[in-house]
Amino acid sequence: MEPSLAENSEEGCYVALTHEHLRAQDIMDRVRSPQAGAIVMFAGTTRDNFAGKPVKELQYSAYIPLALKTMLSICTDIRARHGLMSIAIIHRLGIVPIGEESILVAVSAPHRQAAWRAGEEALEDCKKHVEVWKREEFQGEEGIWRANRDGLPGQKIAEKDEEG
Amino acid sequence: MGVIPKPPQGQFNVLYFASANSFTSKDYDTLPAPLPIGKLFDELEKKHSGIKDKILSSCLVTVNLNYVDVPNGDSEDASSESSVVIHAGDEVAIIPPVSSG
């Protein structure tokens, strides 16, 4: 069995993957700092449809050591570029019922502008690069592995698909 | 994915995630080393017919948690000196397009 929590950290950066419920308060407390004037937190929740098709449930799996490595590298990069005090990202794995949190991103910064920008950038970088996969189960048909977006850097497109 | 056992001496593991896991119905395969990275997809195709076109063509590959280039197996440079060789005990993984968040 996978461990229920896998985590990694370095100065001002914390990343984790867990099979447990995500708690917004916990991740906010991780980035709290007396030098910060703002904490921005994002919660991604599981949607009940894909392009109008009803989704019964979602299941996430990960290449845990590589996903943690990628998440930590995103955090150190964004923390440095936006002058953050601290940044934390946690992603849930396994079955996530509809409407629950699948990812939390929290950043703290001396001022709100940097915090807003860094939070958005961290989430977008995660969606592009972190080695976590979402399987959507539909009513009465086979589930599919979702791809966030084909054709981004680092994601090779099959030649036959390039024209389409 | 459960815990993957260490490969037997002289071999390496290839891990399958997401669509690669569904296609093979396996968490991993074990292959003999050494193997030039350019030959990897052909070896996997021998074990899982159709995997090259349906799955591997849109996947990336890591060796020991680092992304590596996979030269086209049909071309001359598939086993050239410049490309990576997989060694015994390496952890290779097939990385389908990601979908976190």
Side-chain angles (χ1 to χ4, degrees):
Chain A
M1 275 298 292
E2 287 179 350
S4 68
L5 174 73
E7 57 188 352
N8 205 348
S9 61
E10 57 177 75
E11 194 194 351
C13 297
Y14 172 84
V15 298
L17 298 164
T18 180
H19 282 78
E20 307 295 326
H21 280 85
L22 301 184
R23 293 167 49 88
Q25 188 65 54
D26 291 352
I27 198 163
M28 279 183 69
D29 289 344
R30 282 203 178 268
V31 300
R32 195 175 295 282
S33 158
Q35 285 84 45
I39 292 176
V40 165
M41 204 208 67
F42 173 86
T45 56
T46 49
R47 193 167 40 222
D48 70 355
N49 73 88
F50 182 79
K53 210 155 80 161
V55 172
K56 195 170 61 175
E57 65 182 29
L58 292 99
Q59 186 159 3
Y60 290 91
S61 63
Y63 185 8
I64 290 176
L66 184 56
L68 289 176
K69 181 184 170 187
T70 302
M71 289 162 81
L72 196 59
S73 136
I74 290 170
C75 285
T76 54
D77 170 57
I78 289 194
R79 179 173 178 267
R81 280 194 295 108
H82 292 275
L84 302 179
M85 304 313 303
S86 192
I87 174 168
I89 303 175
I90 185 164
H91 201 296
R92 189 166 163 191
L93 301 178
I95 291 172
V96 180
I98 298 299
E100 294 190 7
E101 290 87 339
S102 53
I103 186 170
L104 299 177
V105 175
V107 304
S108 60
H111 301 286
R112 67 184 180 283
Q113 292 89 347
W116 280 120
R117 283 196 296 269
E120 179 175 21
E121 211 172 297
L123 181 77
E124 296 305 318
D125 284 356
C126 279
K127 290 190 80 111
K128 277 180 215 162
H129 300 297
V130 174
E131 291 83 0
V132 167
W133 295 274
K134 169 165 58 185
R135 185 176 168 88
E136 290 166 344
E137 301 290 345
F138 298 101
Q139 302 286 354
E141 59 180 288
E142 206 185 341
I144 62 148
W145 290 104
R146 178 67 51 205
N148 276 344
R149 223 156 103 205
D150 289 329
L152 289 166
Q155 296 192 2
K156 191 162 60 174
I157 313 178
E159 276 174 32
K160 59 180 177 297
D161 292 335
E162 278 178 343
E163 298 298 315
Chain B
M1 182 169 291
V3 174
I4 307 296
K6 284 203 184 308
Q9 199 167 10
Q11 303 192 47
F12 66 92
N13 288 335
V14 185
L15 312 187
Y16 299 125
F17 297 94
S19 57
N21 179 276
S22 296
F23 188 90
T24 59
S25 301
K26 296 172 95 170
D27 286 347
Y28 68 99
D29 269 319
T30 301
L31 295 174
L35 183 72
I37 194 80
K39 303 284 187 198
L40 176 67
F41 286 4
D42 288 337
E43 290 302 311
L44 299 182
E45 177 71 21
K46 283 182 203 163
K47 285 178 172 283
H48 308 281
S49 180
I51 194 172
K52 245 176 116 167
D53 276 355
K54 290 204 179 75
I55 304 293
L56 300 178
S57 58
S58 60
C59 288
L60 300 175
V61 174
T62 60
V63 177
N64 301 330
L65 305 184
N66 295 306
Y67 284 93
V68 296
D69 283 331
V70 180
N72 185 341
D74 300 328
S75 67
E76 289 289 318
D77 60 28
S79 54
S80 79
E81 290 168 16
S82 61
S83 74
V84 172
V85 173
I86 303 165
H87 298 290
D90 283 352
E91 181 172 282
V92 177
I94 304 300
I95 310 291
V98 298
S99 48
S100 70

